Amino acid sequence: MDGTRQRRRGDTRQRIQDVALGLFAEQGYEKTSLREIAERLDVTKAALYYHFKTKEEILVSIFEDLTKPIEDLIEWGRRQPHTLDTKQEIVRRYSETLAEAAPLFRFMHENQATVRELRIGEDFKARIQSLRDIIIDPDADLVDQVRCASALFTLHAGMFLLQDLEGDPEERNKAVLEVATDLVTQAHRGAGGS
Amino acid sequence: MDGTRQRRRGDTRQRIQDVALGLFAEQGYEKTSLREIAERLDVTKAALYYHFKTKEEILVSIFEDLTKPIEDLIEWGRRQPHTLDTKQEIVRRYSETLAEAAPLFRFMHENQATVRELRIGEDFKARIQSLRDIIIDPDADLVDQVRCASALFTLHAGMFLLQDLEGDPEERNKAVLEVATDLVTQAHRGAGGS
Amino acid sequence: MDGTRQRRRGDTRQRIQDVALGLFAEQGYEKTSLREIAERLDVTKAALYYHFKTKEEILVSIFEDLTKPIEDLIEWGRRQPHTLDTKQEIVRRYSETLAEAAPLFRFMHENQATVRELRIGEDFKARIQSLRDIIIDPDADLVDQVRCASALFTLHAGMFLLQDLEGDPEERNKAVLEVATDLVTQAHRGAGGS
Amino acid sequence: MDGTRQRRRGDTRQRIQDVALGLFAEQGYEKTSLREIAERLDVTKAALYYHFKTKEEILVSIFEDLTKPIEDLIEWGRRQPHTLDTKQEIVRRYSETLAEAAPLFRFMHENQATVRELRIGEDFKARIQSLRDIIIDPDADLVDQVRCASALFTLHAGMFLLQDLEGDPEERNKAVLEVATDLVTQAHRGAGGS
DNA sequence: GATGAATGAGTTTTCATTCAT
DNA sequence: GATGAATGAAAACTCATTCAT
C-alpha cells in the first residue's frame, strides 16, 4: 500500500498549516504567496481555498491551535495568588510554551507590522498584556514594571536573536530563563515583597 | 513669496524619505506601495525614480542617514576601555539615538522578517552585534551575556511595546534606561568587575 | 414526526429550482454561484450535480417547467381564428401567465444579455415571436405591428418597472392589461378589422 | 508617417471606452473580461488600470459621457409647461438620444440585473423616472399613467427587440416613435387635456 | 441521494519598474 | 526635475465541474 498517498488522505489541512507556518516564519507573511505554499504541497491553489477561506484564515487557524497553551496559562495564573512563586512559575511555563511553538512565535515577533493589522495581532497583544498584568503589581514603581515587561521581551527575543551566541541551545535557553526570572524577582522584591 | 513652494524646491528627496519612513513604520514595508508615497507627496511615481533607483534604495538611504550616530557610537566605544562606565555610557547614548530616530527603529523592529532579506538587515544586525561585543565580556558566563543582550532588547522594545503603560513618555524612557543600565551593571559585576 | 425533514425527502430537485430561481432573479445568473445555492439549501455543491448536469441545466429545467403554459397558449392561439376576441384573450391569458411565474419572467427580462447565449434564449424569443405572429396581421401597416409588439412589452415591463407607481398591485396589473388590450384593439381596427 | 500609431497617442482612454462598450453590449458586462478588452486593443490589462480605477469605472465613465443629453433633456423638460406639445417633444427628443447612443441603451436594457447593483443602475432609474414625471400628470388615472410609462418602454424596446420586423430601420424607428407619441397623446387627452 | 476533496482555468486588481518627452 | 503612458509579473481569490466513496 502506498503509505504516502494513504497518509495524505484527510490530513491536508494539517499539512497546509505546517508548510504555511514554515514559510511564514522563514520569509514573512506578505512575501509568502499561496502559490508557493501550494507548490510545496503539490496541490493547486484552489485546494488551499477548499480548506481555508482566505490566506489570513490559514494564519489565524495556526495561531489559534498553537496559542491555546498560553490561554490556559493565563487562566491558571489568574486563579493563583500573586506571590513570587506564581510569577516565577508563569515565566517558566511561558518560556516552555514559546519553545514548543518556536516557529509561530518567531513569526509573530518578526512580523509585527503585518500582524498588527490582522485579527491575531490584537489577540496576541491582549494575551501578552494579560500575562504582564499577572506578573506586574499595579502599584509597583515604574522601573519594576519595566523590569517585568523586560522579562517577557527577554524570553521572546531570547529565542530568535541569540542564535549566534556560543553555547548549546539548551544552556542558552536556561540562561535566558534565569535572566527573566531574575528580573521578575527583583521587581517583586522592589515592590515590597520579601 | 510662496514659502511652501520655495522650500519644496530641491528638498524633494528629503520629503520622499520622510513620507516613506512614516508609511513604512506605520504599515510595514511591503504593504506600503510607491503609489501611496507618491500620492501623499502629490508627485508621480516616476518622480520617485528620479531620486531613487528602487524602492529598496529609498529605505537604504533612510537607514544610512539615520544610523550614522550608531556607527559613531560603535567607533567611540571601541576606542574606550571596557569599564563599567563605558558600558553605561554606551547604553545611555544608544537609548538617546533610538529615541531620536524612533520611527526608523520601530520600523526595523517590527519588520524583521522583511528586513532580513534586504541589505540593511545584515548591516543592522552587524551593528547591534558590535554594540553587544563592547558591552559583553567574552569570558563572562552565559547568564551575564544574556543580561547584556537583554539590556539592548529592553531599550528597543521599550520604545514600542510599552506605550500602554501609564506614566508620561519621558519618565517611561527613564525607567527603561534604568533597567537596561542595571542589567549591564549586574553583568559587569558578575563577570568579576568591581 | 418531523414534517420538514420528511417533506425534504425526495423534493430536493424542486427545492434547488426554487432557491436557484430566487437567486437568479435577485442577482442575475452570472452573479449567482452554485456555492451560494448550495449553501442556502444546506447541501454541498456536489449534491446539485446529482440532480442537474450543469448550472445551465438548472435554469433550463426551471424555464421548461414554468413556460409550459405559454406553449399551451400558443398552441391554442394558433387554432383560433384571428379575430379581435382571440387577440384580446391571448393578451389576457398571457398576462395571467406572466403574473403566475413572475420571478422567472423578471429574470428573463433583466438578464437578456446572459440569456441570449443560453439555449433558453432562443426558445424564449421564438415563443414571443409566435405570440406576436398570432396577434399581428402580417399585412397590417408597420405602426400597427409596433402597437402589437408594444402591447407585449407593456405586459412584461409592467410587472417589473412599475413597482414604484402608486396604487395597489392588483389595480396596477389591471391597468397594464387594459393598456395592452387597448393597443391590440387599436391595431386590429387600424388593420381593417371592425 | 504612421497615422495609426500617431493617432493612438492620447486617445487610449477613448479607445478603451469604445471597445468596452462594444463588448459589454454584445456579451454583457460580467461575461466581458478585462483581458478581452485589453487584447482587442493590443495593450496589457495593466494599461486599462492606468486609465480607469476599476472595471466598473470604465462602465461608469461611458454611461456618464453618453447620458449627458438625457440630463439636458430632463432639465429642459422641467422648465417647460406640461402641455401636450412639450410631452410630444420629450418623446421625440428622447427617441433621438436613444438612437444616437444605441449600444449603451441596449446594454442598459439587457443587463438590468447586473446594472441594478452598480452605481449607474440607480442613476439610470432616477433619470427615467424624471422623464416619466414630466410626461405623466400626477392626477391622471392609473391607466393613463401606465400609457405614459408604456410609451417609454416602447421606445426602449423598439430599438432592440424589433430588429426582426421587416421594413428598413428608419421606417421602423418612425413607427415606434408614432406609437409612443400616440400613447402619450391619449394619456394627455384622457387626463382632461383637449 | 449525497459528500469530501480537489482541479484547471479564469477573474479583478496591484505592484515595482521603465522610458520617451 | 519631473510626467504620462505603459508593461510584465504576480497576487488573492472564485467558479463550474469531477469523481471516488
Side-chain angles (χ1 to χ4, degrees):
Chain A
M1 280 154 278
D2 183 354
T4 311
R5 264 215 171 283
Q6 218 59 25
R7 192 154 314 119
R8 289 200 167 192
R9 267 292 151 68
D11 65 347
T12 303
R13 197 189 141 92
Q14 177 70 48
R15 288 173 61 234
I16 293 171
Q17 291 178 318
D18 291 350
V19 165
L21 178 53
L23 289 170
F24 289 164
E26 195 188 319
Q27 324 176 335
Y29 178 74
E30 330 259 16
K31 296 247 285 199
T32 301
S33 70
L34 295 183
R35 181 184 50 68
E36 211 174 346
I37 297 174
E39 259 167 22
R40 212 168 266 215
L41 287 166
D42 204 40
V43 296
T44 60
K45 272 176 290 166
L48 306 184
Y49 280 93
Y50 176 76
H51 292 282
F52 301 95
K53 269 210 279 291
T54 62
K55 184 184 178 185
E56 185 172 346
E57 229 212 56
I58 299 181
L59 179 54
V60 169
S61 77
I62 295 170
F63 180 81
E64 279 171 355
D65 288 5
L66 293 180
T67 58
K68 183 77 178 28
I70 296 192
E71 272 184 274
D72 296 346
L73 180 56
I74 291 169
E75 200 98 326
W76 177 86
R78 280 194 175 133
R79 288 194 317 263
Q80 304 309 113
H82 282 205
T83 63
L84 179 54
D85 267 13
T86 300
K87 294 174 183 175
Q88 289 176 340
E89 180 76 1
I90 292 268
V91 166
R92 201 186 51 71
R93 285 170 65 175
Y94 188 50
S95 96
E96 259 173 41
T97 305
L98 289 180
E100 265 151 32
L104 174 65
F105 291 106
R106 182 176 162 211
F107 169 79
M108 295 299 291
H109 189 84
E110 294 185 344
N111 290 268
Q112 289 178 62
T114 296
V115 138
R116 195 167 356 123
E117 329 243 279
L118 267 34
R119 185 157 74 61
I120 60 169
E122 283 300 307
D123 289 14
F124 192 60
K125 211 174 146 185
R127 253 160 241 198
I128 297 212
Q129 235 142 330
S130 298
L131 277 181
R132 225 175 56 196
D133 291 346
I134 298 175
I135 287 179
I136 292 182
D137 288 309
D139 50 344
D141 75 56
L142 196 54
V143 174
D144 282 324
Q145 297 194 358
V146 170
R147 257 190 262 269
C148 290
S150 177
L152 297 181
F153 308 155
T154 300
L155 291 178
H156 278 210
M159 313 193 58
F160 324 121
L161 300 178
L162 292 178
Q163 275 147 359
D164 52 326
L165 233 54
E166 92 271 11
D168 75 317
E170 205 147 313
E171 274 194 68
R172 214 177 52 217
N173 280 349
K174 245 173 74 182
V176 166
L177 178 55
E178 190 174 330
V179 172
T181 307
D182 226 47
L183 281 161
V184 168
T185 306
Q186 285 177 246
H188 186 80
R189 297 253 157 78
S194 60
Chain B
M1 281 151 282
D2 184 351
T4 311
R5 262 213 170 286
Q6 219 60 26
R7 195 156 311 126
R8 288 199 169 191
R9 275 271 167 84
D11 65 349
T12 301
R13 197 189 139 92
Q14 177 68 48
R15 288 173 61 233
I16 292 171
Q17 291 178 316
D18 291 350
V19 165
L21 178 52
L23 289 170
F24 289 164
E26 196 188 319
Q27 323 175 334
Y29 178 75
E30 328 261 11
K31 296 246 287 198
T32 301
S33 69
L34 295 184
R35 181 181 51 67
E36 212 175 345
I37 297 174
E39 259 166 23
R40 216 170 260 214
L41 286 165
D42 208 38
V43 297
T44 60
K45 269 182 293 172
L48 304 184
Y49 279 90
Y50 178 80
H51 293 281
F52 300 94
K53 267 212 284 287
T54 64
K55 184 184 179 186
E56 185 173 346
E57 230 213 11
I58 299 180
L59 180 55
V60 169
S61 78
I62 294 169
F63 180 80
E64 279 170 355
D65 289 5
L66 293 179
T67 58
K68 185 74 179 26
I70 296 191
E71 275 183 274
D72 296 346
L73 180 56
I74 291 168
E75 200 97 327
W76 176 87
R78 280 192 175 135
R79 288 193 318 263
Q80 302 309 113
H82 282 204
T83 63
L84 178 55
D85 268 12
T86 300
K87 293 175 185 175
Q88 290 176 341
E89 180 74 2
I90 293 268
V91 166
R92 202 187 48 73
R93 284 171 67 178
Y94 187 51
S95 98
E96 259 172 41
T97 305
L98 289 179
E100 265 152 32
L104 174 65
F105 291 106
R106 182 177 162 209
F107 169 79
M108 295 299 292
H109 189 84
E110 295 185 343
N111 290 268
Q112 289 179 59
T114 297
V115 137
R116 196 165 356 123
E117 329 243 281
L118 268 33
R119 183 158 71 63
I120 60 170
E122 282 302 306
D123 290 13
F124 192 59
K125 211 173 146 187
R127 251 161 244 195
I128 298 212
Q129 236 141 334
S130 298
L131 276 181
R132 225 173 56 194
D133 290 347
I134 298 175
I135 288 178
I136 292 182
D137 288 309
D139 51 344
D141 74 58
L142 196 54
V143 173
D144 281 325
Q145 296 194 0
V146 170
R147 257 190 262 270
C148 289
S150 176
L152 297 182
F153 309 154
T154 299
L155 291 178
H156 278 210
M159 313 192 59
F160 324 121
L161 298 179
L162 292 178
Q163 275 148 0
D164 51 327
L165 234 53
E166 93 269 13
D168 74 316
E170 206 147 312
E171 275 195 67
R172 216 176 50 217
N173 281 348
K174 246 174 73 182
V176 166
L177 178 55
E178 191 175 330
V179 172
T181 307
D182 225 49
L183 280 161
V184 168
T185 307
Q186 287 177 244
H188 186 81
R189 298 255 156 78
S194 63
Chain C
M1 280 151 283
D2 183 351
T4 312
R5 263 216 170 282
Q6 220 58 26
R7 193 156 311 124
R8 289 198 168 190
R9 273 274 166 83
D11 64 348
T12 302
R13 196 189 141 92
Q14 178 67 47
R15 288 173 61 234
I16 292 171
Q17 291 177 317
D18 291 351
V19 165
L21 178 52
L23 289 170
F24 288 164
E26 197 188 319
Q27 324 175 335
Y29 178 75
E30 328 262 10
K31 295 247 286 197
T32 300
S33 68
L34 295 184
R35 180 181 52 67
E36 212 174 346
I37 297 174
E39 259 166 22
R40 215 169 262 213
L41 287 165
D42 208 38
V43 296
T44 60
K45 268 184 293 173
L48 305 183
Y49 279 90
Y50 178 80
H51 293 281
F52 300 95
K53 267 212 282 289
T54 65
K55 183 184 180 186
E56 185 173 346
E57 229 214 10
I58 298 180
L59 179 55
V60 169
S61 78
I62 295 169
F63 179 80
E64 279 171 354
D65 289 4
L66 293 180
T67 59
K68 183 75 181 24
I70 296 192
E71 273 185 274
D72 296 346
L73 180 58
I74 291 169
E75 200 96 326
W76 176 85
R78 280 194 174 132
R79 290 193 316 264
Q80 304 309 115
H82 281 203
T83 62
L84 179 55
D85 267 12
T86 300
K87 294 174 184 177
Q88 289 176 340
E89 181 73 3
I90 292 269
V91 167
R92 202 186 50 71
R93 285 171 65 176
Y94 187 51
S95 98
E96 258 172 41
T97 305
L98 288 180
E100 265 152 33
L104 174 65
F105 291 107
R106 182 177 162 211
F107 168 80
M108 295 300 292
H109 189 84
E110 294 185 345
N111 289 268
Q112 289 179 60
T114 296
V115 137
R116 197 166 355 122
E117 328 244 278
L118 266 35
R119 184 157 71 65
I120 61 170
E122 282 301 307
D123 290 12
F124 191 60
K125 210 172 147 187
R127 252 160 243 197
I128 298 212
Q129 235 142 333
S130 299
L131 276 180
R132 224 173 57 196
D133 290 347
I134 298 175
I135 288 178
I136 291 181
D137 288 311
D139 50 345
D141 76 56
L142 195 53
V143 173
D144 281 324
Q145 296 194 358
V146 169
R147 257 191 262 270
C148 289
S150 176
L152 296 182
F153 308 155
T154 300
L155 291 178
H156 278 211
M159 312 193 57
F160 323 121
L161 298 179
L162 293 178
Q163 275 147 0
D164 52 326
L165 234 54
E166 91 270 14
D168 73 317
E170 206 146 313
E171 276 194 67
R172 215 176 51 216
N173 281 349
K174 248 173 72 181
V176 166
L177 178 55
E178 190 174 331
V179 172
T181 307
D182 226 49
L183 280 161
V184 168
T185 307
Q186 285 176 246
H188 187 80
R189 298 254 156 77
S194 61
Chain D
M1 283 151 281
D2 182 348
T4 312
R5 264 214 171 282
Q6 219 59 27
R7 192 154 313 121
R8 288 200 167 191
R9 263 296 147 67
D11 64 347
T12 302
R13 196 189 141 93
Q14 178 69 49
R15 287 173 61 234
I16 292 171
Q17 291 178 316
D18 291 350
V19 165
L21 178 52
L23 289 169
F24 288 164
E26 196 188 318
Q27 324 176 335
Y29 178 75
E30 330 260 352
K31 297 247 285 198
T32 302
S33 70
L34 296 184
R35 180 185 50 69
E36 210 174 348
I37 297 174
E39 257 166 24
R40 211 168 266 213
L41 286 166
D42 205 39
V43 296
T44 60
K45 274 174 288 166
L48 306 184
Y49 280 92
Y50 176 76
H51 293 282
F52 301 94
K53 267 208 281 290
T54 62
K55 183 183 179 185
E56 184 172 346
E57 229 211 55
I58 299 181
L59 179 54
V60 169
S61 78
I62 295 170
F63 179 80
E64 278 170 356
D65 289 4
L66 293 180
T67 59
K68 183 76 179 30
I70 296 192
E71 273 185 274
D72 295 345
L73 180 55
I74 291 169
E75 201 97 326
W76 176 86
R78 279 193 175 133
R79 287 193 318 264
Q80 303 311 113
H82 282 203
T83 63
L84 180 54
D85 268 12
T86 300
K87 293 174 183 178
Q88 291 176 340
E89 180 74 3
I90 292 268
V91 166
R92 201 187 52 71
R93 286 171 64 176
Y94 187 50
S95 95
E96 258 173 42
T97 304
L98 289 180
E100 265 152 32
L104 175 64
F105 291 107
R106 182 177 161 210
F107 169 80
M108 295 299 292
H109 188 84
E110 294 185 345
N111 289 268
Q112 289 178 62
T114 296
V115 138
R116 195 165 359 120
E117 329 244 279
L118 266 35
R119 184 159 74 61
I120 60 169
E122 283 300 307
D123 289 14
F124 192 60
K125 210 173 146 188
R127 250 159 244 196
I128 298 211
Q129 235 142 332
S130 298
L131 277 181
R132 225 174 56 195
D133 291 346
I134 297 175
I135 288 179
I136 292 182
D137 288 310
D139 50 344
D141 75 56
L142 196 53
V143 173
D144 281 325
Q145 296 195 359
V146 170
R147 258 190 262 270
C148 289
S150 177
L152 297 182
F153 308 155
T154 299
L155 291 178
H156 278 210
M159 313 192 58
F160 324 120
L161 298 179
L162 292 177
Q163 275 148 359
D164 52 327
L165 234 53
E166 91 272 11
D168 75 317
E170 205 147 314
E171 275 195 69
R172 214 178 51 218
N173 280 349
K174 246 175 72 183
V176 166
L177 178 55
E178 190 174 330
V179 172
T181 307
D182 225 50
L183 280 161
V184 168
T185 308
Q186 285 177 247
H188 186 80
R189 297 256 156 76
S194 61

